[in-house]
Amino acid sequence: MSRTGQTWMTYTQGVGWIASHYGEAHAPAPESAAVDEGLLRRFMGDLRGAAVDFQALSDATGVSYRHFRHHLR
C-alpha cells in the first residue's frame, strides 16, 4: 500500500536522509515502521548527545526542528 501527501513525502525524505547518514539503504514504507522507529530513535539520541547537527537534515529536507519533533517524529 502506498501513502500520499506532503507530510508522508517529507517523512520519507527525512527517514531516507537519516538512513543514508548512518550508511544504511532504507526506503520508508508503511510496513517498515519498526525500522523507521529504530533509525529515528538513534538519530534523536545523537541529537541529544550533540553527535549530529540537525541543520544538515534541515538543509536536505527543508524541515524545521519544531516540525520534525511535533509532526514527523
Side-chain angles (χ1 to χ4, degrees):
M1 175 175 103
S2 176
R3 293 177 74 173
T4 61
Q6 184 62 39
T7 301
W8 177 250
M9 288 176 19
T10 304
Y11 173 83
T12 59
Q13 285 178 326
V15 172
W17 183 90
I18 291 167
S20 67
H21 172 75
Y22 292 117
E24 299 181 21
H26 173 67
E31 304 81 31
S32 69
V35 175
D36 297 357
E37 181 62 31
L39 286 167
L40 289 166
R41 190 176 312 119
R42 181 178 176 189
F43 184 73
M44 293 305 293
D46 286 349
L47 276 176
R48 281 189 290 279
V52 67
D53 183 14
F54 184 81
Q55 189 62 46
L57 175 63
S58 182
D59 290 345
T61 62
V63 171
S64 70
Y65 184 72
R66 179 183 166 103
H67 186 190
F68 178 79
R69 291 281 298 163
H70 295 287
H71 299 287
L72 299 178
R73 177 69 179 100

